Amino acid sequence: MRTYDIFMQLHRRGTATYLSLLITLIFIMTPTLSACSTLTPNPDVQTAPRPASDSPTIALVLGGGGAKGFSHIGVIKVLEENDIIPNLVVGTSIGSLVGSLYASGYTPAQLEQLALTTSDSELTDFVLSNQGFIEGLKLKSFINTKVGERNIEDFPIQFAAVAAEKNTLQKAVFTTGNSGLAVQASSSVPNIFIAPRIPEKVGKKYIDGGVVSLVPVDSARDLGADIIIAVDVMAANPANLDSNATAINPPPSLNSLSSFWAFLENTIAAQPNSNRYSSMRLERDRADIVITPNVSHISSIDTSQRRVLIAAGAHAITPQINAIKQLIEDRSHSKHATP
C-alpha cells in the first residue's frame, strides 16, 4: 500500500492515530535535528540603533522550549507588577511567540488569557510533505491577527525574533518586517515544520532559532542592551540531577495532541555533551540575570498544565526581583556618572 493511502486511512480513523504515524515516519523519512548538533553558528547580527534614553536599556530574553515557554508569561507578570518594563524583547521559538505578543502591547493578563484559551488547532496546519508535516501558515496568521497586522518595527517595545538560515545554520535576527513570518521562522523546528522563506517565495529558508541560540543573550547585547534578564525554560533543575546529568524529558507517549507538543519539546532541546550545547549554555550565562523556572517535569500543555507553567515562571523570578531592581539602579547611576 502506498504511503499516501496509509496516511488517508489513518486520518479518517482519528487525529491521535494520524499524529502517531506522522511522528514515527519522521525518523524514517527525514534526518533528525541532532544532525545539526555539532555545527557552529555564525554569531554576527545586524545591530539596531539604541533607544535615546538616559536610563539603561533593559532586555528580556525569552528562550525556546516548546510548551514550557508558557512560563515566560509568569515572568512577565511579576516584572510588570514591580514596574520593570523592558525596552527590548528578544525571543527564540516559543519565546518569540510570547515575546512578539508582549512587545506588541499585550498585558500579562491578556497573555495569560490567550495561553489558557488558544487551542493547538489554531496554530497547527498538517500537510503531507517530505519537508515537514506542519506548514506553519496558521501560526503566522495567528500572530499577525493578534498584533493587528503590524510589522515588528511598529511595536511599542523593540522586538527581535531569532531563527537560523536552513542551509548554513547562520543565525538570523529579525527586527523588522512581517511579525507572523518572523515568529513562524523562529519556531520552525526542523523536520516538523516546513521552513518558510524570507522574503516570502524568493528568499532563503529559515528554521527554529533553538538550533543555534536557544536563549539569545548575545543577540540582545548586540541590539544595545545594558541589562539582560534571560529566561531559560529548558534548564535542568538542580534538585532533579546529579553532577553529571542533563535534564532530558522521557520520550512522550504518542496518543494525544498534547503528547505531540511534548515531542516538540524534546526535539528542540539542546543535546548534552556536545559543542552546540556547551556554546549555548555559555551564551545564556552571559546574561546579567538568569531565570530558570522549575518545569523540567512538565511536558503536557492541557489547560491545567498551562496554569502550572505560568505559575512556575512567576515563582522563579520573584526571589530575584530585588537583585534586578538593584542592578537597574546601579546601571542608572553608572550611566549618569561623570567620566
Side-chain angles (χ1 to χ4, degrees):
M1 182 180 291
R2 294 180 306 161
T3 300
Y4 179 82
D5 294 328
I6 297 173
F7 271 90
M8 290 303 100
Q9 283 193 22
L10 290 171
H11 181 51
R12 285 190 290 268
R13 294 180 189 176
T15 301
T17 307
Y18 183 49
L19 288 177
S20 297
L21 176 65
L22 285 171
I23 294 170
T24 302
L25 285 179
I26 210 168
F27 295 103
I28 302 172
M29 297 171 63
T30 57
T32 63
L33 177 62
S34 61
C36 302
S37 63
T38 59
L39 298 179
T40 304
N42 188 328
D44 293 337
V45 61
Q46 189 105 21
T47 302
R50 292 181 58 165
S53 174
D54 292 332
S55 300
T57 298
I58 303 170
L60 178 61
V61 174
L62 305 177
K68 301 179 193 300
F70 285 102
S71 58
H72 292 320
I73 298 170
V75 171
I76 293 169
K77 182 178 180 180
V78 173
L79 285 174
E80 291 228 346
E81 287 173 350
N82 287 272
D83 298 320
I84 301 170
I85 311 297
N87 312 101
L88 168 66
V89 178
V90 183
T92 288
S93 197
I94 184 65
S96 75
L97 193 161
V98 174
S100 67
L101 295 171
Y102 178 51
S104 76
Y106 278 73
T107 66
Q110 290 172 326
L111 289 174
E112 185 168 4
Q113 181 65 16
L114 267 182
L116 297 176
T117 58
T118 301
S119 65
D120 301 285
S121 62
E122 292 179 71
L123 303 175
T124 51
D125 39 8
F126 297 103
V127 294
L128 297 175
S129 171
N130 60 5
Q131 300 178 57
F133 58 85
I134 298 177
E135 192 166 12
L137 297 181
K138 273 194 175 183
L139 173 59
K140 180 181 75 171
S141 178
F142 176 86
I143 294 297
N144 282 333
T145 298
K146 295 302 181 184
V147 304
E149 305 296 335
R150 286 174 294 168
N151 284 342
I152 294 172
E153 62 268 27
D154 298 323
F155 289 173
I157 297 177
Q158 184 183 3
F159 173 68
V162 176
E165 199 275 310
K166 182 179 180 180
N167 294 325
T168 65
L169 292 188
Q170 180 175 340
K171 184 172 68 174
V173 182
F174 296 104
T175 58
T176 60
N178 187 290
S179 309
L181 185 58
V183 172
Q184 178 190 1
S186 181
S187 305
S188 289
V189 177
N191 309 322
I192 296 174
F193 288 80
I194 296 176
R197 292 184 183 272
I198 302 179
E200 292 183 276
K201 297 183 179 180
V202 297
K204 296 178 180 179
K205 291 183 177 182
Y206 292 90
I207 59 175
D208 195 293
V211 174
V212 295
S213 184
L214 193 62
V215 186
V217 169
D218 292 345
S219 298
R221 194 74 73 186
D222 290 336
L223 289 167
D226 298 307
I227 296 171
I228 296 177
I229 303 166
V231 187
D232 182 3
V233 298
M234 295 302 297
N237 185 281
N240 299 333
L241 297 176
D242 61 38
S243 60
N244 298 314
T246 300
I248 296 295
N249 293 326
S253 61
L254 305 177
N255 59 4
S256 69
L257 197 58
S258 61
S259 291
F260 165 70
W261 282 102
F263 173 80
L264 296 190
E265 292 174 13
N266 282 264
T267 304
I268 199 174
Q271 298 297 311
N273 305 319
S274 71
N275 292 334
R276 181 168 66 94
Y277 174 81
S278 299
S279 176
M280 288 196 286
R281 179 63 182 267
L282 288 172
E283 178 183 10
R284 188 209 72 173
D285 290 346
R286 285 192 282 273
D288 297 285
I289 302 288
V290 178
I291 310 299
T292 56
N294 181 14
V295 294
S296 60
H297 60 291
I298 302 174
S299 61
S300 174
I301 62 167
D302 60 40
T303 301
S304 63
Q305 291 301 306
R306 295 186 195 192
R307 291 186 186 277
V308 171
L309 288 160
I310 293 169
H315 181 77
I317 192 171
T318 298
Q320 300 206 53
I321 285 295
N322 288 338
I324 294 171
K325 289 180 176 179
Q326 186 62 53
L327 182 61
I328 294 171
E329 183 179 349
D330 292 345
R331 296 287 168 86
S332 296
H333 288 319
S334 65
K335 290 196 74 169
H336 287 89
T338 303

